[in-house]
Amino acid sequence: MKDGLEVHGDVSPRHDPYRYWVTGILFELGVFAGFAVVVLAMTVVLALLFRG
Amino acid sequence: MWIRLRRDDIAVIVHYTGIFVAGIGLVMLVPLITAIVAGEWAPATHYVFGMGVALLVGMSMTLVQPGYTRIRHQHALMIAAFSWLAAALVAAVPLALSPNYPTYLDAAFDAVSGLTTSGLTVVVDLDHMALSHNMWRHLTHLIGGQGIIVAALSLAFGLRGGAFALYLAEGRDEKVLPNVVNTARFIWFVTGVYLVVGTGVLFIHNLIRGMVASRAFLHALWIFIAAYDTGGFAPQSTNALYYHSWVFEAITIFFMMAGTLNFNLHAAVWRGNRQEIFRNIETRTLAISIFVISALVAIGLAREGIFGEPLEAVRKGAYHVISAHSGTGHQTLYPSQWATQFSEMAWIGIVLAMGLGGGMSSTAGGIKALRVGLLFKSIARQVRHSVSPRSALIQTRYNHIGRKVLTSDTTVLILIMFTTYFLSYLTGGIIGTAYGYPLKAAMFESVSATANVGLSMGITSPNMETGLKVLYMVQMWIGRLEFLAVFALIGHVINGVPRRRKPRAA
């Protein structure tokens, strides 16, 4: 049905977003850390290359 | 063609807007308790009065009983537009009673800015503000970031039919779970988990930096809310610069990034689908955009050599790119430094980051990474189409919580949103210059308001002209609701005005 309030189907374990929340948040924070390190490394190199 | 609203339609809109207004009154219990615990008796009376006004207005509106309770798409857009406006006007009541806001308009400005998670502020003497008022300012970020409607949905708060239409009208794109009420609760769950982690880490940081425990906790809570809900308010007038700590900046970068991520993406990752974060067009676009703009800003700052050490330039540059792109608006600069210490190239980078914005179905504003990514896909498809034989069938796919096909309808919608945002950015900039401000500052402030960012070059201040205060309030409001709901409201208002008919010729 279109309207969410009228849908009362169970959520299968495969689709349960609460299932892996601990590893999920750790994974997300790890990805952010990795990305931040890459961006910082790139900007440090550029800042040194283009130092005024 | 506009359908003229009947008495029953107006009753539906008034009834449900009243529910949201009353809800704002109930949330005022938090600053009221804060005031009582801190022994701030005058602010406590402000919140008792504010709750009284909100509950009285809200409950009176709910007395208007519609003939039917089902909310149609048309109602949902109007309810969303009205609720956000009414909620801000009511949320401003206790702030207007505080000595930190000379006029009700100033309090309403900060309430709109708080609820839309913008972060622009016209507060006076923030450094001596009562704890309860600071609690309320930051709570408006939390309520608005989650979405007033999502907040009400998660409690299934008097809503009977048409909840999904309301959910969409608030500028969200899809449900995480089959049931929209469960989707709203999941959004709160993600926020709750991050809130415990973020407040805890910032609390430890503040303790190590020498704050007393109670102050360390409140600063940690408020800064977390402002960073994760991509708001930008801070308890001190110098914003994030107050902390003078690279560790603090590194911690808040994590929560700004988490806040700008689509809630559907959080759900996918928390379901165990880790690859989605790398495959999703939205995260790829965000990553590429942050990478390119950071490079632009780093080169711009390094060439000028204003910050002395290259590492200082990197630190200032990267922090503000993430703050601008996520729509947060935390800044470690004095507003005047944007004009004097940021080169043209670095300035352009920050304005671009603000304008492009964060993820769909997140607390961020701006054009949104998904639309930017799909626009580039559409350009690539058009190029392929032009070099292929006429009979060739070209299909472009992208990954956004599953494989999807890019349709021409989607491309048209994206172009409409791009144009609307661009026109709003430009209009605000032109009006700012009409008030006598330099184009650079006027454009910066206009983009910051529409994209709900909150970085400021100094125009936004208690002494700002009344017309500009109203303009930025409107820009923050329409930007948060992604134009459609507000345009629908304006259309119905214009359509509702009785027109004089031309007399027929005899």
Side-chain angles (χ1 to χ4, degrees), chain B residues 367-407:
Chain B
I367 293 168
K368 307 276 161 55
L370 180 62
R371 295 194 182 110
V372 177
L374 289 180
L375 183 74
F376 279 100
K377 282 258 179 197
S378 301
I379 294 169
R381 185 180 64 171
Q382 198 55 36
V383 171
R384 277 174 62 202
H385 187 76
S386 59
V387 295
S388 306
R390 273 191 174 186
S391 56
L393 185 70
I394 293 164
Q395 200 177 52
T396 304
R397 290 173 178 273
Y398 62 95
N399 209 316
H400 178 60
I401 326 287
R403 293 292 284 168
K404 288 175 182 164
V405 176
L406 179 65
T407 64

Side-chain angles (χ1 to χ4, degrees), chain A residues 3 5 7 15 20 23 28 52, chain B residues 162-163 179 181 194 266 271 274 302:
Chain A
D3 191 297
L5 277 180
V7 178
H15 295 110
Y20 302 109
T23 50
E28 282 181 4
Chain B
N179 185 318
V181 173
Y194 267 106
H266 284 296
R271 276 177 178 135
R274 305 280 149 77

Side-chain angles (χ1 to χ4, degrees), chain B residues 40-73:
Chain B
E40 297 173 338
W41 304 115
T45 60
H46 301 162
Y47 286 96
V48 171
F49 182 74
M51 281 181 76
V53 170
L55 291 174
L56 189 72
V57 172
M59 299 309 278
S60 304
M61 288 169 83
T62 56
L63 291 179
V64 180
Q65 287 293 339
Y68 52 89
T69 54
R70 185 150 199 95
I71 304 166
R72 291 199 296 264
H73 178 62

Side-chain angles (χ1 to χ4, degrees), chain B residues 35 39 83 85 111 142 155 190 196 206 320 411 436 467:
Chain B
S83 299
L85 199 59
L142 188 66
L155 303 171
V190 174
V196 171
N206 293 347
H320 289 103
T411 305

